[in-house]
Amino acid sequence: MLKAHTKWKVKETLMDKEHEEELSRKLGFTSLFTTLCLQRGLGTEEEIQHFLKPDETWIHDPFLMHDMDKAVSRIMEAIEKGELITVYGDYDADGVTSTSVLKEAIEMIGGEVNFYIPNRFSDGYGPNTQAFEKLIEAGTGLIVTCDNGVSGHEAIAKANELGIDVVITDHHELPAILPAAYAIVHPRHPNGHYPFKDLAGVGVAFKLATALLGEVPLELLDLVAVGTVADLVSLLGENRALVMQGIAVLRESQRVGLAALCKVAGAKQSEVDEETIGFILAPRLNAIGRLGEAAPAVELLTTFDEAEANSLAQLINEKNKERQALVSTITAEAFDMIEKSDANPHVYVLAKEGWHEGVLGIVASKVVGKTGKPAIVLNMDRTNGTAKGSGRSVSAYHLYEALEDVSHLTTNFGGHHMAAGLTLPVENIGAIQTELNAFLLQSGLAEQLTEEIVVDERLTIAESSVESIEELQKLAPFGTDNPKPVFLFENVKAQDVRRIGGDNAHLKLKIADETAALDVIGFQFGPVAAEIGADAELSIVGQLSINEWNGLRKPQLMIEDLAIEGVQVFDLRSTQIAPAIWQMAPADYLFFNEKNYQQYESSITETSYGHLITDQESAEGFILHTDQLILVDCPSDLTLLSTVLNQVEPTKVVACFFNQEEAYLTGIPSRMQFSQVFKYTATHIDIDVRHKISLLATHLKIKEKLLIFMISVFFEVGFVTIKDGVMNIVPNAEKKELTESTTYQNRLKKIAAEEALIYSRFTELETWLKQQLKKEL
C-alpha cells in the first residue's frame, strides 16, 4: 500500500449530456474539452468562444477606477512643472514590473522620473518614512506608489507634512482607514466603479499608464503578463485578456532585458507561456529582492543597452542560484529538526540562528508540501532577542486568524489565509507553537489538514493523446481561478520505475493499461520509487503536457499525487542477501533457516523484529508487529509460508528468499540413478561416506548433494546402515517404495517451494503471495 499525500476530490458536476454533446458538435471540440468548459461555468457556445478569444470588451475604462482622474491630473501637472516624479515600488516580481511600467509610461509623455525599490530588510514592505524623507530631500516633487501604499499611513503623513503629494496605486487589502494620499487608485476602492476587482499591482499600474497615454500601450503588456502571473492573482476576466495578449507580446518583444533573462534561464522566448513565467522568469525576478536590493531587476526590464541587459540578467541568475542554494540548505536543516524531534505537532514552528530571512517563506512552503501541515520558519537573532520569518498554511487552517489568536506572543505580524510574516521575542517560540496547535485543536481542524486536490476528470490512457492535450491548451493561460486541468488515472500498471536527476530527486515511470502506455514524471517524487513494486497497480493524479524531443512529440503526465491500494510486493531475490534490507526498519524479518537466523539476527535494528519459523506450530503462532514483512530466506515447505501469510495483513512484502541448497536445480534422482547407487552399495563394503563422499560422487558421476540425498533415503527406508560414517548394505531388507519416505517427500516440498518462490516470474510470485494474504482464516 502507498497512501496518497492529499485528498482527491473528483468533480461530480451535474450536466446535461445531450447539451454537452450538442456543444461539442457545434464547436468541433472533444467531449472532454466541452466538459471542462462546462465545469468552468461556460454554458453556451457564445460563452465558450468568448472565453477562448477575449476581445476589447474585456478591457475596461481606466477612469472607472477611483481617483484615476486625480492621479492623471497630478502627474500631468508634475510633468508640466518639471517636477521629479519618483515611482516607489516593491521588491517582488509584481513590484518591479509595476515600477517598470510606470517609469516607462511617464517617460513616454516627457516626465522626469526615477524609481525607488525598498529594501526588504532595512525598509520593509510599503512606504517607509525614512525612505520618503531621503527621496524628498533629494528633490522628489511627487511620489507615485505601485503595488503598495494603502497601509502607508505614517510615511504618507510625513510626505504631506513636507509638502509632497503621494499618488497611491495598489491592489492589496484595503484597511478600514485609508492614508491621506492625494489620490488612491485601487480597483476595489469602495467609492470606485471599476468592474474587475482582481488586478495585480502591475495591472493597476498599466491602467494608470493607459489613462496617462490616452491609449492602450500594447508594448507594456509583456511586463503586465510577467507581474500578473507572478503575483498569483485570478486569471479570469480582464487579467486573462491582459496575460493572453501579454504573452503574445512577450514572445516577440524587443525588450532586451527580458530576452537576456530568457537566455540565461535557458528558456526560448518565442515559446514563453504562463508556466515559463511562473517557474522560470518570476523566481529569478523575485530572487534578487529576497537577498538584497531589487533595483537591478527594474534596470534589467527597462534598459535599452544590450550589454547592460546581459550583465544584469547574469547577476539576477546568479542571485537565483544563491537563493536556491540557501533554500536547499535551510530546507534540509528544517527537515532534520523535524526528524530529530520527539514531538509530532499539527503546526510546525521551526527556528534557528543564521537562516536567511528572504527565503524562509519558500522553505515554509516546502515543509507544508512534504508534511501537509502548516509551518512557520523563523530566523533567530540573539543580539536583539527576536525571531523573524514567514509562515505558510493549508486550506483548512486560516493562518492569519490563528496568528490573531496568539497576537499577544508576537511583536507584529501580517498576512492572509495561506501566508504570513511575523516577528516575535525568541523566548516566545515554544509558546507560540503550543498555542497555534491549541487553536487548531479547538477549531476541530486536526482531521482536515490534509490538502485537497480537485480532479477535473477521470481519464483512460488512450484519451491522453497529443491532439487532446493541444486542445486543452486553448483554455490557457492557467492559474488562479482557471487551474490547469488535473486528471485521474485509476488502476493502471506501473512500469520502468526509476529515479532520475543529479541527486535522484525525481521519479520517472510509465503507466499502462491493456491498450496504451503514458510517460510519467514526478518532480521531487524520487523517494517514492522504492515504494512502487514491479507492475504495481496504482492510481495517479496529475497534469498532462507534451514532451518534445528531437522532433518527436509525446504525451506526458506530471504527477500531483499517487496511491496504491492493498499490499505491495517487492522483488529482491538474489543469490546473496542484499544489505539494504536491514535498513527497511521498522519491519518484521522472517527466517526459515536456523543458520541464517543466527547469522543475521544481529543485523536487525532495534525498531524491527526477527522471527524463526521451523514448523507448523511456530508458523501458526507468528505475530506481525509492523506494516512490512521481509521474507529473508526460502522455506522448505510452502505450507509454512502460506500459514504465516494467511494470518497477517502487511502493506509491504519484500521477497528475498535467499537459498543455499538449490533443491530445484539439483532435482530428484531418476530410478536409474537410484539403481546405480544401490548396486554400488550392494557390491562394496565399508563405504566411507563421511570423508570420501566427494570421491564417490565423482566416481558415480552424480552430483554430491544428490548422492547425499539418495543415501539419506536408503538409510530412512532401511536399505543401508551408517555407523561412524561408514555405510553398508542391509541384506534382505524389506521392500519399500522410496517415494514414500519422509526424506523423499520433504525434497519434493522443497523443490516446489523453490520453484514457486525463487524460480518463478515475478508476476507469478506476486499473484501467489497475494492469494495467500487474501485467504479466509
Side-chain angles (χ1 to χ4, degrees):
M1 177 180 287
L2 177 62
K3 292 182 179 179
H5 288 95
T6 56
K7 294 178 182 176
W8 303 352
K9 183 179 179 181
V10 181
K11 289 181 180 177
E12 300 294 349
T13 309
L14 294 176
M15 57 181 69
D16 185 336
K17 188 65 178 174
E18 289 185 9
H19 177 55
E20 179 262 304
E21 290 175 352
E22 183 182 357
L23 278 177
S24 296
R25 186 174 62 255
K26 285 182 177 180
L27 294 166
F29 294 137
T30 62
S31 174
L32 172 62
F33 183 83
T34 307
T35 297
L36 294 176
C37 289
L38 291 169
Q39 287 177 349
R40 282 161 166 73
L42 307 172
T44 67
E45 182 180 356
E46 294 72 23
E47 287 174 339
I48 293 173
Q49 294 285 24
H50 194 49
F51 185 81
L52 300 183
K53 296 179 181 179
D55 56 31
E56 64 279 358
T57 63
W58 290 53
I59 308 299
H60 306 299
D61 181 353
F63 286 98
L64 293 174
M65 211 172 290
H66 179 264
D67 275 355
M68 183 64 80
D69 52 349
K70 287 182 66 178
V72 171
S73 296
R74 183 63 186 89
I75 293 170
M76 288 300 190
E77 179 186 337
I79 294 171
E80 290 169 5
K81 291 181 178 179
E83 293 176 332
L84 174 62
I85 302 170
T86 296
V87 177
Y88 189 97
D90 189 26
Y91 40 70
D92 66 1
D94 188 20
V96 298
T97 52
S98 303
T99 304
S100 301
V101 164
L102 286 182
K103 177 179 179 294
E104 290 194 0
I106 293 170
E107 286 175 339
M108 286 179 195
I109 52 176
E112 184 184 355
V113 60
N114 64 5
F115 70 90
Y116 183 85
I117 302 293
N119 183 288
R120 178 190 292 264
F121 308 104
S122 58
D123 295 328
Y125 168 75
N128 178 278
T129 302
Q130 289 73 34
F132 270 28
E133 288 177 329
K134 289 179 182 177
L135 290 169
I136 294 167
E137 185 180 339
T140 291
L142 173 65
I143 297 173
V144 180
T145 75
C146 54
D147 195 31
N148 73 92
V150 292
S151 297
H153 296 75
E154 184 181 339
I156 291 166
K158 173 57 72 173
N160 290 337
E161 181 185 319
L162 296 173
I164 299 299
D165 292 330
V166 178
V167 170
I168 293 173
T169 74
D170 200 354
H171 72 120
H172 291 96
E173 291 296 327
L174 290 162
I177 299 175
L178 293 169
Y182 182 88
I184 299 178
V185 179
H186 194 294
R188 291 197 300 279
H189 195 288
N191 297 328
H193 304 283
Y194 201 72
F196 185 72
K197 311 298 184 184
D198 292 318
L199 290 170
V202 70
V204 180
F206 182 74
K207 302 310 292 191
L208 176 55
T210 301
L212 287 169
L213 294 165
E215 62 181 7
V216 177
L218 297 177
E219 66 273 24
L220 297 179
L221 281 171
D222 51 359
L223 298 175
V224 177
V226 172
T228 301
V229 171
D231 215 48
L232 302 179
V233 292
S234 174
L235 285 188
L236 296 177
E238 189 171 18
N239 281 343
R240 175 175 173 81
L242 293 174
V243 172
M244 286 182 75
Q245 184 61 39
I247 287 174
V249 172
L250 176 51
R251 288 174 177 173
E252 299 180 358
S253 176
Q254 300 304 304
R255 192 177 299 277
V256 294
L258 282 177
L261 188 60
C262 286
K263 185 175 180 181
V264 298
K268 289 184 179 180
Q269 185 178 344
S270 61
E271 298 177 3
V272 164
D273 59 16
E274 73 276 14
E275 291 188 353
T276 314
I277 294 171
F279 296 106
I280 297 177
L281 302 183
R284 285 166 170 78
L285 293 173
N286 280 323
I288 192 163
R290 289 186 180 278
L291 302 186
E293 296 290 345
V298 178
E299 294 166 4
L300 172 75
L301 296 175
T302 58
T303 185
F304 293 96
D305 186 315
E306 204 166 310
E308 182 186 28
N310 290 333
S311 176
L312 288 167
Q314 194 62 48
L315 168 68
I316 287 172
N317 200 50
E318 289 303 316
K319 286 293 182 182
N320 187 56
K321 290 179 181 177
E322 184 181 341
R323 187 269 306 170
Q324 289 173 322
L326 284 168
V327 169
S328 178
T329 299
I330 298 172
T331 300
E333 292 175 359
F335 281 120
D336 188 54
M337 282 184 184
I338 292 171
E339 188 175 331
K340 290 180 178 177
S341 173
D342 293 329
N344 184 27
H346 293 295
V347 180
Y348 288 112
V349 177
L350 307 168
K352 187 177 180 180
E353 287 184 87
W355 280 355
H356 197 295
E357 292 173 16
V359 301
L360 297 186
I362 302 174
V363 175
S365 293
K366 289 185 177 293
V367 173
V368 174
K370 188 170 183 179
T371 66
K373 298 179 179 181
I376 291 173
V377 184
L378 303 164
N379 173 58
M380 292 190 294
D381 187 342
R382 297 287 187 185
T383 58
N384 60 24
T386 63
K388 185 177 181 182
S390 299
R392 296 293 184 269
S393 193
V394 297
S395 56
Y397 187 77
H398 199 299
L399 186 57
Y400 184 82
E401 290 181 358
L403 288 173
E404 273 191 319
D405 192 63
V406 298
S407 59
H408 59 283
L409 296 173
T410 70
T411 305
N412 55 67
F413 72 95
H416 52 82
H417 183 165
M418 299 292 285
L422 70 160
T423 303
L424 68 154
V426 168
E427 61 267 21
N428 288 353
I429 292 173
I432 202 168
Q433 172 149 21
T434 300
E435 294 205 22
L436 287 172
N437 277 275
F439 175 85
L440 183 143
L441 293 170
Q442 290 163 8
S443 304
L445 299 173
E447 301 302 318
Q448 302 176 32
L449 283 184
T450 305
E451 282 287 79
E452 184 176 85
I453 292 179
V454 177
V455 176
D456 292 88
E457 196 69 35
R458 292 177 173 88
L459 277 194
T460 64
I461 295 174
E463 290 175 306
S464 310
S465 64
V466 168
E467 293 73 23
S468 64
I469 298 171
E470 287 176 332
E471 189 177 59
L472 294 177
Q473 195 59 33
K474 296 178 185 295
L475 295 170
F478 298 114
T480 305
D481 295 335
N482 184 42
K484 191 171 185 179
V486 174
F487 298 107
L488 168 61
F489 297 84
E490 294 180 299
N491 305 322
V492 290
K493 290 283 187 180
Q495 299 176 347
D496 301 332
V497 180
R498 63 186 187 276
R499 299 180 71 165
I500 60 171
D503 53 359
N504 284 327
H506 312 308
L507 173 67
K508 184 175 177 61
L509 69 149
K510 288 181 184 293
I511 55 173
D513 57 21
E514 295 80 6
T515 61
L518 177 65
D519 290 338
V520 179
I521 293 287
F523 290 110
Q524 303 305 319
F525 275 83
V528 178
E531 303 298 318
I532 304 175
D535 284 323
E537 191 172 89
L538 55 81
S539 293
I540 186 167
V541 292
Q543 298 177 343
L544 288 167
S545 61
I546 298 172
N547 181 33
E548 187 164 351
W549 180 254
N550 287 339
L552 179 64
R553 306 176 79 229
K554 295 176 63 179
Q556 180 175 266
L557 183 71
M558 311 298 289
I559 299 175
E560 295 279 317
D561 202 359
L562 69 164
I564 300 174
E565 292 297 324
V567 66
Q568 278 213 90
V569 180
F570 293 82
D571 190 1
L572 289 185
R573 292 177 293 180
S574 174
T575 55
Q576 301 294 327
I577 294 180
I581 70 169
W582 312 117
Q583 307 306 315
M584 292 181 177
D588 286 81
Y589 293 85
L590 198 60
F591 295 83
F592 296 94
N593 183 291
E594 189 168 358
K595 289 182 180 179
N596 290 337
Y597 180 71
Q598 292 172 350
Q599 181 178 350
Y600 294 107
E601 185 184 14
S602 60
S603 300
I604 299 172
T605 64
E606 292 182 0
T607 58
S608 295
Y609 303 83
H611 310 268
L612 176 63
I613 305 297
T614 55
D615 53 32
Q616 192 66 22
E617 183 179 352
S618 58
E620 291 173 356
F622 176 78
I623 296 175
L624 184 70
H625 299 278
T626 71
D627 289 334
Q628 291 193 88
L629 180 60
I630 316 294
L631 304 173
V632 180
D633 54 23
C634 186
S636 58
D637 185 346
L638 276 174
T639 304
L640 295 179
L641 177 57
S642 181
T643 300
V644 168
L645 295 177
N646 287 175
Q647 56 199 16
V648 296
E649 294 183 3
T651 60
K652 182 176 179 180
V653 175
V654 179
C656 300
F657 295 129
F658 173 60
N659 187 58
Q660 293 174 304
E661 296 180 10
E662 299 180 344
Y664 176 78
L665 293 180
T666 306
I668 288 285
S670 65
R671 296 188 68 86
M672 184 178 294
Q673 287 174 314
F674 271 117
S675 176
Q676 179 187 4
V677 174
F678 185 80
K679 286 178 181 178
Y680 182 88
T681 305
T683 56
H684 294 74
I685 61 171
D686 297 334
I687 303 169
D688 186 354
V689 293
R690 175 179 295 171
H691 302 104
K692 297 183 179 180
I693 192 70
S694 296
L695 291 173
L696 181 58
T698 302
H699 174 74
L700 295 173
K701 297 180 180 179
I702 296 173
K703 291 179 180 178
E704 184 177 333
K705 288 183 178 180
L706 203 60
L707 178 59
I708 293 171
F709 164 69
M710 288 190 281
I711 291 171
S712 298
V713 172
F714 286 149
F715 179 76
E716 183 187 338
V717 298
F719 287 1
V720 299
T721 61
I722 301 175
K723 187 175 182 180
D724 296 328
V726 175
M727 180 176 69
N728 284 288
I729 193 77
V730 174
N732 303 314
E734 181 183 349
K735 187 175 182 181
K736 293 181 180 178
E737 285 293 332
L738 299 179
T739 56
E740 294 178 2
S741 73
T742 301
T743 302
Y744 194 99
Q745 291 300 315
N746 285 344
R747 186 171 184 85
L748 290 176
K749 292 176 183 178
K750 177 67 173 168
I751 289 172
E754 291 181 13
E755 181 180 19
L757 304 178
I758 299 174
Y759 299 103
S760 59
R761 293 197 302 264
F762 175 69
T763 52
E764 296 170 339
L765 173 64
E766 182 181 36
T767 299
W768 186 86
L769 291 171
K770 288 183 176 180
Q771 285 173 344
Q772 308 313 302
L773 289 166
K774 291 180 179 179
K775 281 184 178 178
E776 294 289 336
L777 292 179

